[in-house]
Amino acid sequence: MGEKKTTTGEGLGFYKEYVAGMMAGLATVAVGHPFDTVKVKLQKHNTDVQGLRYKNGLHCASRILQTEGVKGLYRGATSSFFGMAFESSLMFGIYSQAKLFLRVTLQAKRSCTVLFSSKLHILLLSCFIVKGTLPDDGPRPEIIVPSAMFGGAIISFVLCPTELVKCRMQIQGTDSLVPNFRRYKSPLDCAVQTVKNEGVTGIFRGGSATLLRECAGNAVFFTVYEYLRYHIHSRLEDSKLKDGYLVDLGIGVFTGGLGGIACWSAVLPFDVAKTIIQTSSDKATERNPFKVLSSIHKRAGLKGCYAGLGPTIVRAFPANAAAIVAWEFSMKMLGIKRD
């Protein structure tokens, strides 16, 4: 992604980036939740010592459709829609604002030999916004990575409870090993029962694994996305196709999809550990993601640590492509100009 050029008034309307992020989250769930349900079931059942085993993602999906219909693929989607809308709004908004701040800071350090005070940084940022211009020097890892990791760290605290509810709802299908009398009636019932039985800390079970996944995953995602988008747009600089909506759509699909695949390929083991920790009915379950992964590796090998890889990768491309397309087009509709 070419670095964003701020325009007059954009600094005052920064909330628009959070609105655009919310639209990206809704698009992600609408497209990707069925794949996520299959992934969670594979991670839960195919890593258990005993119980049901699915041959692969296709076998799992067909079982869900046969026994529960399409509704089964969207089990737990309610909490996911709310969670992803809020989480994605924060992620994209914080990422954009953090990236802008770091960029201005580095520009100031590059231009001057003295250290500015925090007040002068703010004044400098305001001046850039009023003037409506920041030099575009391409994507820079020292800006992208910390911005993405900071956003990932913040959203992990929001995402952990909603994902716990989502995962516990998703494993309750017809093939579930969970007894009927212990199943939750709704996402709200799941949240209430979790707090009642495990305390407030129970709803944040799997927090460490979520934090690791979000920090590393978003760093990989935005790095791949930014560089791909920047270089594609650079090649189209003198082309008549540069400002076409279909071209923007194609670039969004391509860069978002590949960014998603790279992200999930890198952090899937943390996601497996998170699923195991969050869906366990035993309060004494190990919560250290590295120890959980070590246990899974001893029991099921490297394949166990990447349980659900198939549906995750299949989901990663369309879900993240939908997120980026929704984000970019929402920003255009809201008047946020980008290269």
Side-chain angles (χ1 to χ4, degrees), residues 22-325:
M22 180 180 68
M23 300 307 296
L26 294 175
T28 300
V29 178
V31 174
H33 192 82
F35 299 101
D36 188 66
T37 298
V38 173
K39 178 205 72 173
V40 170
K41 280 183 173 286
L42 286 171
Q43 289 176 341
K44 174 61 178 177
H45 296 301
N46 283 23
T47 57
D48 275 344
V49 176
Q50 59 183 3
L52 182 70
R53 292 288 189 278
Y54 296 110
K55 298 176 183 177
N56 48 47
L58 186 60
H59 176 224
C60 180
S62 65
R63 284 282 302 174
I64 296 171
L65 288 172
Q66 288 173 10
T67 57
E68 302 176 67
V70 176
K71 183 180 178 181
L73 291 173
Y74 278 92
R75 185 178 292 277
T78 303
S79 65
S80 194
F81 269 114
F82 283 107
M84 277 299 294
F86 187 42
E87 171 263 322
S88 189
S89 175
L90 282 178
M91 182 64 236
F92 281 97
I94 291 172
Y95 171 72
S96 298
Q97 295 299 308
K99 191 174 68 167
L100 176 60
F101 176 78
L102 287 176
R103 192 160 165 229
V104 170
T105 301
L106 291 176
Q107 287 290 348
K109 287 183 177 179
R110 180 187 297 177
S111 302
C112 306
T113 57
V114 296
L115 292 175
F116 288 96
S117 68
S118 59
K119 289 185 178 180
L120 206 52
H121 273 305
I122 296 173
L123 177 61
L124 182 61
L125 176 59
S126 301
C127 290
F128 274 125
I129 292 174
V130 171
K131 287 183 178 181
T133 179
L134 276 175
D136 179 18
D137 53 0
R140 298 169 64 185
E142 65 269 32
I143 293 176
I144 298 170
V145 173
S147 298
M149 292 187 72
F150 177 62
I154 297 296
I155 65 169
S156 66
F157 293 100
V158 177
L159 196 58
C160 182
T162 60
E163 288 226 344
L164 181 141
V165 172
K166 173 186 70 69
C167 289
R168 291 190 175 189
M169 293 297 295
Q170 285 174 319
I171 65 168
Q172 291 190 155
T174 305
D175 288 335
S176 175
L177 300 176
V178 181
N180 285 327
F181 67 89
R182 287 174 55 188
R183 298 188 183 187
Y184 305 109
K185 298 175 182 178
S186 66
L188 180 59
D189 179 51
C190 178
V192 171
Q193 290 298 323
T194 299
V195 173
K196 182 179 178 180
N197 297 328
E198 303 177 41
V200 177
T201 57
I203 202 73
F204 285 95
R205 178 188 286 207
S208 297
T210 305
L211 177 66
L212 289 169
R213 188 194 70 177
E214 291 304 308
C215 287
N218 280 292
V220 172
F221 173 77
F222 280 107
T223 298
V224 172
Y225 162 67
E226 295 270 18
Y227 274 90
L228 283 175
R229 187 180 188 281
Y230 179 80
H231 288 296
I232 292 174
H233 274 280
S234 295
R235 290 181 176 275
L236 296 175
E237 188 65 36
D238 299 322
S239 173
K240 295 180 180 179
L241 299 174
K242 182 182 177 183
D243 298 320
Y245 278 97
L246 287 178
V247 173
D248 285 344
L249 175 65
I251 294 174
V253 169
F254 181 72
T255 56
L258 290 186
I261 289 176
C263 164
W264 282 102
S265 297
V267 301
L268 187 60
F270 290 132
D271 189 64
V272 173
K274 181 191 72 68
T275 297
I276 298 303
I277 294 169
Q278 291 185 327
T279 57
S280 174
S281 58
D282 185 359
K283 295 180 182 180
T285 297
E286 177 61 61
R287 300 193 184 190
N288 184 315
F290 295 104
K291 290 184 178 180
V292 171
L293 285 174
S294 177
S295 176
I296 293 174
H297 187 268
K298 290 178 181 178
R299 191 166 60 243
L302 186 62
K303 184 178 180 181
C305 295
Y306 276 88
L309 178 63
T312 299
I313 295 302
V314 172
R315 166 187 177 268
F317 193 98
N320 287 279
I324 288 300
V325 169

Side-chain angles (χ1 to χ4, degrees), residues 9-25:
E10 185 182 330
L12 300 176
F14 66 89
Y15 69 89
K16 293 180 179 179
E17 291 173 331
Y18 291 88
V19 174
M22 180 180 68
M23 300 307 296

